[in-house]
Amino acid sequence: MDSKARLIKKNKLKIKSEPVKSETHLPITFEPTNIVLTGKPGVGKTTLIKSIIDHLQQCGTIGCCGFYTNETRDTANERTGFEIITLDGKESTLAKTFTFDDVRRPKIGKYSVYVENVDAVALAIRNAPMNKLLVLDEIGKMELMSKSFRSTVNDVIDHTLLLATIPLIYSIPMLERLRSSPNTKLFCITKSNRNTIFKEIVDCIEECLKVN
């Protein structure tokens, strides 16, 4: 196999082996809250998201559904793309620098975006239980190339308990709506706070459950 095709998958979400407590589910009358993380690329938003998911699931605070994204790298540790990993363990390609079929795909920079895989994730989100924390990592340029994903995100904003990451600068009406919603709690992740802001975000989620 060509070395460029051999991908090194990093930072997969690993749930600890301790027994997981039974999940708390959102009451029917919960107050919708958008908990949004933003920050520069590579600052650690996804790592933080995965730590939060792991903590909530281990404590049985609330069930989680949705997805996060990982980089893929080759044997020379060069980034070759991104993959989508759903919280029920399904993996699919989000984008690649090299494709091995004849399908013409939209591109962002050097990456070909697998819009059909984002469409499938959007459908899964629509069918997900509404009594769980919905995780969307990330609502970014590549994911938003899917009309189905854009429609789904528009529908869930202000209608569930949402934990999402968004780009720091990228601005479109839907993201501005998310940023400016009175139901949004926005956290800007930096290298100086990424190791200490974890508790603040978890406390915010747990407070939402107490209020609901």
Side-chain angles (χ1 to χ4, degrees):
M1 181 182 291
D2 190 282
S3 64
K4 291 179 180 178
R6 295 197 296 267
L7 305 181
I8 300 174
K9 298 184 177 180
K10 302 177 65 179
N11 300 324
K12 294 292 180 62
L13 177 64
K14 294 183 179 180
I15 302 300
K16 299 172 186 176
S17 58
E18 292 89 345
V20 177
K21 296 179 182 178
S22 59
E23 297 172 350
T24 299
H25 295 295
L26 293 176
I28 295 174
T29 57
F30 74 92
E31 183 71 22
T33 306
N34 313 308
I35 300 170
V36 179
L37 281 54
T38 190
K40 293 180 179 180
V43 77
K45 297 186 295 294
T46 294
T47 300
L48 183 56
I49 283 280
K50 290 187 285 188
S51 296
I52 292 167
I53 294 167
D54 182 77
H55 174 81
L56 294 174
Q57 292 183 338
Q58 287 300 314
C59 293
T61 304
I62 184 173
C64 303
C65 61
F67 74 95
Y68 64 95
T69 53
N70 264 348
E71 293 181 349
T72 57
R73 294 182 177 269
D74 62 18
T75 53
N77 203 33
E78 294 292 326
R79 189 167 68 187
T80 58
F82 302 88
E83 62 184 353
I84 301 168
I85 303 176
T86 64
L87 298 192
D88 59 359
K90 297 175 183 176
E91 301 179 15
S92 58
T93 298
L94 172 58
K96 282 184 178 180
T97 51
F98 298 95
T99 60
F100 301 95
D101 56 34
D102 296 324
V103 178
R104 292 176 64 102
R105 293 185 171 88
K107 299 192 74 170
I108 292 182
K110 63 182 180 179
Y111 298 103
S112 297
V113 180
Y114 285 62
V115 175
E116 67 274 21
N117 291 343
V118 186
D119 289 343
V121 168
L123 178 61
I125 292 169
R126 284 193 176 276
N127 293 332
M130 294 304 292
N131 62 346
K132 292 189 174 186
L133 174 67
L134 177 59
V135 179
L136 304 180
D137 173 43
E138 115 180 289
I139 307 173
K141 289 183 181 180
M142 291 180 180
E143 293 84 356
L144 291 171
M145 296 190 81
S146 161
K147 292 181 180 179
S148 296
F149 184 76
R150 291 201 304 270
S151 174
T152 297
V153 172
N154 262 318
D155 289 346
V156 300
I157 291 174
D158 296 334
H159 287 92
T160 190
L161 182 54
L162 174 66
L163 176 62
T165 62
I166 61 173
L168 182 62
I169 298 175
Y170 184 51
S171 180
I172 60 172
M174 183 179 66
L175 290 182
E176 289 307 311
R177 174 189 161 210
L178 179 57
R179 287 187 181 101
S180 62
S181 169
N183 296 319
T184 293
K185 299 181 184 297
L186 186 65
F187 296 87
C188 186
I189 312 304
T190 65
K191 289 184 178 180
S192 62
N193 73 7
R194 64 187 179 186
N195 294 324
T196 58
I197 204 168
F198 167 87
K199 185 177 185 303
E200 187 177 349
I201 297 170
V202 170
D203 286 348
C204 178
I205 293 171
E206 291 178 344
E207 187 62 29
C208 291
L209 297 177
K210 290 177 185 177
V211 170
N212 293 345

